[in-house]
Amino acid sequence: MQKVGFFKSIHVKIVLIYILLILLAMQIIGLYFARELEHTLKDSFTNSIEERVDLVEFSVRTEMRKKERGEADPTLEQSLRTILYSIRSEDINEIRVIDNNFRILATSETNNQSIVGQRSTEPIVRQSISSETPANKIRLDPQQEDRIWVLASPIVYQGEVLGTIYLESNIETVFEQMTEINRILAGGTAMSLAITVILGILIAQTITRPISDMRRQAQAMAKGNFSRKVRVYGNDEIGQLAIAFNHLTNRLQEAQSTTEGERRKLASVLSNMTDGVIATDRKGRIILINDPALRLLRVPRELVLHRPISSALGIESQYAFEDLIHMKDSINLDFSSPERPYILRANFSVIQKETGFVNGLITVLHDNTEQEKIDMERREFVANVSHELRTPLTTMRSYLEALADGAWQDKELAPSFLNVTQTETERMIRLVNDLLQLSKMDSRDYDLNKEFVEFNKFFNRIIDRFEMSKSQQVQFVRLLPESQFFVEIDTDKLTQVIDNIISNALKYSPDGGNIRFGIIAQEGLLKVMVSDDGMGIPKENVERIFDRFYRVDRARARSMGGSGLGLAIAREMIESHGGAIWAESEEGNGTTIFFTLPFELDEAGEWD
């Protein structure tokens, strides 16, 4: 799982939120405190100045109201200067008395006495005289770059403005006090933040430690590890959450074990089933398919997963997914090729909730090729038996009807008709005997009377018998080794097999042709060969000549007296001896029949 970034960590977030909240609270408190303190200091400073200005105003107004002055009395300018000098202080830079004509009557600044008698150009002076109300403002001293509080307070007597008192005071001291207080407040804030950070980290750890433990446990659970447990640090909400998380881990472990067991059982069942199983989602897309289904469909897993079921089965042109949901009967899927048949049977079952909502579809595939082949062979067998019996019976009925109609009196025709009837009767007897023999072999209701025989002598005796009785001009070529090979066989059964093979070779060999006989020993088996120069068998029919009633050329085989069961019987007998039989042929170049038998070598005359 991806590692959590430093700034994305809940621990850091809690500490940052805690610090930001404390910082915000301290800033709000600091701003409110600084603003109120500034207003208080400024109000205290201005109130102090205004109270002194009021005292000066009373004295100045008294002096300005005097009508007569004696020679011994000081002049108005001297009296005003004395009054102004009496209230000078560190926080008052200068104080002036200005009459209602804007003429400066006196100033407290010793070095600025030259302005006495001049007209004042200060706008605040004109404002206070014209409005008859005090006016004040803060301005910057261009020389010392200090802030100065300027006050113009009118001198009013009985509704008449006698002038104004103009005062400049140094309010910079108030701002210096504010700066010092803000510095102290900032230091205290920094110290508080440092303590807050430490406390925040400690407090956050008590919250985030169990959460981190639960996160690691959740990561381990996601990987399938249910052995870890979350440590419980207390009995608060987080502690109860840790207890619940541990309980959840136990329940998930039990559920996972149960689910895993069921999954293994299901996987084992699906893997060991001979039938294929396909599951789809509610939209008909394949979400599960077992190995037998892949083998039956002959497709890789990645090619069919998430594909529509109808497309994977090759029936999209005939059935939609909605049709398959309501399908009650099975469907045959024909994947046959010209070389071999291949038929599957598909059964469908709907997966539904209790409410009837369709969750998906289960399809079970079964290889029905062998069953179809058996059914086809059964139908073909019945048809062939019926045909094989009908032909001689029809012939016999015709000749018997002719004999019944008077042909028995004809000394020339009667023996011929009776001979045909006898021949057809023997043919039916052979056919029925062959069928009985095959039936016994199919039911395994027969015993082999086996004995050890030297195969060369056994094979040569059968060849000699055919060579002496053959009628056509066919040359026998023996390619037999001198070694002795002993086989354990039922001589009657194997004689019947070899007789049937040699008889077929004689039937289909032309005059002047050769029939070759050979024996090869290889890997514990004796490989026997009978080859002719006959018409051969088409390549597509070679593998079917051992089927019951199968004939390459039916008309010619029947005219030669064959029932189509000889090679089928030969195959059953050879296989019952633990061997195999097959044919190799090329059309127009003859046919070779091979069969194998287990053998023993003659060692030091052991079998003599």
Side-chain angles (χ1 to χ4, degrees):
M1 187 173 288
Q2 186 178 2
K3 187 177 180 182
V4 178
F6 178 76
F7 289 103
K8 294 181 179 180
S9 170
I10 188 172
H11 185 89
V12 175
K13 289 180 179 179
I14 291 176
V15 173
L16 289 176
I17 291 172
Y18 182 72
I19 293 172
L20 290 174
L21 289 175
I22 296 297
L23 184 62
L24 180 63
M26 295 184 70
Q27 287 297 319
I28 293 173
I29 294 171
L31 289 174
Y32 177 77
F33 175 77
R35 188 188 66 180
E36 293 299 321
L37 181 62
E38 181 180 355
H39 289 167
T40 301
L41 291 175
K42 286 173 67 176
D43 291 345
S44 177
F45 179 83
T46 55
N47 290 337
S48 174
I49 298 296
E50 287 174 352
E51 287 176 358
R52 283 183 281 178
V53 168
D54 289 342
L55 293 175
V56 172
E57 180 189 0
F58 177 77
S59 300
V60 170
R61 186 172 59 247
T62 303
E63 291 296 327
M64 293 179 70
R65 281 170 47 215
K66 284 185 179 182
K67 301 294 184 180
E68 295 179 359
R69 292 181 179 273
E71 293 181 0
D73 294 331
T75 61
L76 178 60
E77 180 182 344
Q78 291 174 342
S79 298
L80 294 176
R81 188 183 305 132
T82 302
I83 294 171
L84 297 180
Y85 283 167
S86 65
I87 65 168
R88 284 195 309 175
S89 62
E90 293 181 357
D91 54 351
I92 297 177
N93 294 339
E94 183 180 5
I95 185 170
R96 301 174 187 172
V97 177
I98 303 170
D99 62 13
N100 52 10
N101 293 320
F102 310 113
R103 187 171 62 85
I104 301 174
L105 300 178
T107 178
S108 63
E109 181 62 38
T110 306
N111 299 327
N112 200 21
Q113 294 299 319
S114 61
I115 65 171
V116 176
Q118 296 181 8
R119 291 178 64 86
S120 176
T121 60
E122 295 290 341
I124 195 171
V125 172
R126 296 178 178 275
Q127 180 183 350
S128 65
I129 292 175
S130 59
S131 63
E132 300 182 4
T133 57
N136 64 79
K137 69 176 182 177
I138 296 177
R139 71 178 184 182
L140 188 67
D141 187 354
Q143 296 179 352
Q144 299 181 357
E145 296 185 353
D146 291 337
R147 278 164 287 197
I148 297 173
W149 187 60
V150 179
L151 174 65
S153 179
I155 305 171
V156 181
Y157 178 73
Q158 294 182 353
E160 180 185 357
V161 179
L162 302 178
T164 185
I165 297 176
Y166 174 80
L167 181 141
E168 293 182 358
S169 61
N170 186 13
I171 201 173
E172 185 67 29
T173 56
V174 174
F175 290 101
E176 289 176 355
Q177 290 177 359
M178 284 297 304
T179 301
E180 182 65 19
I181 292 171
N182 288 334
R183 187 183 64 79
I184 295 172
L185 185 62
T189 302
M191 188 179 298
S192 299
L193 282 177
I195 297 172
T196 300
V197 169
I198 297 173
L199 292 176
I201 293 173
L202 296 176
I203 294 172
Q205 281 183 347
T206 62
I207 299 174
T208 59
R209 186 182 295 118
I211 295 176
S212 298
D213 289 347
M214 284 184 274
R215 179 179 67 88
R216 286 191 290 270
Q217 172 64 8
Q219 291 174 345
M221 288 167 59
K223 296 177 181 178
N225 181 12
F226 296 93
S227 60
R228 298 180 75 248
K229 293 292 183 289
V230 178
R231 182 179 174 185
V232 180
Y233 292 92
N235 198 30
D236 55 1
E237 290 85 349
I238 295 179
Q240 293 177 2
L241 177 61
I243 294 172
F245 198 88
N246 288 333
H247 181 64
L248 175 63
T249 301
N250 294 332
R251 295 296 299 273
L252 284 175
Q253 186 174 12
E254 295 173 1
Q256 195 264 349
S257 299
T258 304
T259 304
E260 183 62 22
E262 295 298 325
R263 188 193 66 79
R264 285 196 296 268
K265 291 178 185 178
L266 178 61
S268 178
V269 169
L270 291 177
S271 298
N272 293 295
M273 287 180 66
T274 56
D275 292 342
V277 177
I278 304 174
T280 72
D281 58 14
R282 60 187 181 88
K283 294 184 178 180
R285 294 187 295 257
I286 296 175
I287 57 175
L288 183 145
I289 182 168
N290 66 348
D291 292 337
L294 294 174
R295 288 194 297 270
L296 290 173
L297 293 176
R298 299 174 180 175
V299 291
R301 188 182 302 274
E302 58 274 7
L303 191 63
V304 295
L305 279 178
H306 309 298
R307 281 184 59 195
I309 180 69
S310 56
S311 175
L313 298 179
I315 55 175
E316 65 274 13
S317 60
Q318 301 168 333
Y319 302 98
F321 179 65
E322 291 74 15
D323 300 327
L324 299 180
I325 292 175
H326 301 93
M327 186 69 64
K328 301 298 181 183
D329 300 326
S330 61
I331 297 177
N332 283 337
L333 309 175
D334 192 352
F335 296 102
S336 301
S337 62
E339 292 77 18
R340 55 167 296 185
Y342 188 56
I343 299 172
L344 303 179
R345 186 179 70 247
N347 293 288
F348 302 96
S349 177
V350 179
I351 307 173
Q352 286 182 313
K353 290 185 177 180
E354 295 179 356
T355 58
F357 182 78
V358 176
N359 266 353
L361 188 69
I362 296 292
T363 304
V364 179
L365 299 178
H366 177 72
D367 188 352
N368 212 36
T369 305
E370 194 63 30
Q371 183 62 41
E372 288 290 327
K373 184 178 178 182
I374 291 172
D375 292 343
M376 184 179 65
E377 288 178 350
R378 186 182 68 248
R379 292 190 295 270
E380 187 176 352
F381 177 77
V382 172
N384 285 330
V385 170
S386 302
H387 186 75
E388 293 293 338
L389 291 174
R390 184 179 62 182
T391 301
L393 287 173
T394 302
T395 304
M396 291 172 60
R397 185 180 67 178
S398 300
Y399 281 93
L400 289 173
E401 287 176 352
L403 289 171
D405 290 339
W408 63 274
Q409 296 178 351
D410 191 331
K411 294 182 179 181
E412 294 182 0
L413 290 177
S416 176
F417 283 9
L418 289 173
N419 184 48
V420 171
T421 304
Q422 185 179 3
T423 302
E424 293 299 324
T425 302
E426 291 175 355
R427 179 180 170 189
M428 285 194 299
I429 291 173
R430 288 196 304 272
L431 177 62
V432 172
N433 287 335
D434 287 344
L435 289 173
L436 288 173
Q437 189 172 11
L438 281 173
S439 177
K440 286 183 179 181
M441 289 181 175
D442 288 339
S443 62
R444 305 299 178 188
D445 186 19
Y446 66 94
D447 296 322
L448 293 177
N449 299 317
K450 289 185 177 181
E451 57 179 304
F452 280 100
V453 176
E454 203 286 300
F455 191 77
N456 271 342
K457 292 180 181 179
F458 173 75
F459 196 24
N460 274 308
R461 281 198 301 268
I462 298 174
I463 298 172
D464 290 342
R465 177 161 48 84
F466 275 94
E467 192 169 20
M468 287 186 294
S469 62
K470 63 184 175 65
S471 58
Q472 70 264 46
Q473 298 298 317
V474 177
Q475 183 70 33
F476 281 14
V477 180
R478 308 188 192 203
L479 306 172
L480 305 178
E482 297 180 358
S483 303
Q484 292 185 333
F485 303 100
F486 288 86
V487 293
E488 188 179 13
I489 59 174
D490 185 326
T491 55
D492 290 339
K493 298 286 191 298
L494 207 60
T495 298
Q496 183 180 353
V497 170
I498 298 174
D499 282 354
N500 188 282
I501 295 174
I502 297 176
S503 296
N504 286 338
L506 286 170
K507 287 178 187 177
Y508 297 106
S509 292
D511 288 339
N514 296 322
I515 296 179
R516 292 168 293 279
F517 305 92
I519 298 176
I520 301 174
Q522 56 183 17
E523 298 179 359
L525 291 175
L526 202 62
K527 184 177 178 182
V528 183
M529 173 198 75
V530 179
S531 178
D532 62 55
D533 293 334
M535 67 185 72
I537 304 170
K539 182 178 181 181
E540 62 272 12
N541 298 327
V542 172
E543 293 183 1
R544 299 196 60 190
I545 65 173
F546 295 97
D547 293 345
R548 299 174 186 184
F549 293 108
Y550 184 80
R551 298 186 181 94
V552 178
D553 187 346
R554 292 182 179 271
R556 181 174 178 183
R558 189 173 290 111
S559 67
M560 292 180 176
S563 65
L565 296 175
L567 288 178
I569 294 173
R571 182 176 64 180
E572 295 289 343
M573 289 182 176
I574 291 296
E575 289 178 353
S576 68
H577 281 80
I581 186 169
W582 69 96
E584 293 180 1
S585 180
E586 184 177 349
E587 191 170 10
N589 292 324
T591 301
T592 302
I593 302 295
F594 295 94
F595 66 87
T596 60
L597 293 170
F599 78 95
E600 297 285 346
L601 285 172
D602 179 20
E603 297 181 1
E606 182 181 349
W607 302 99
D608 292 342

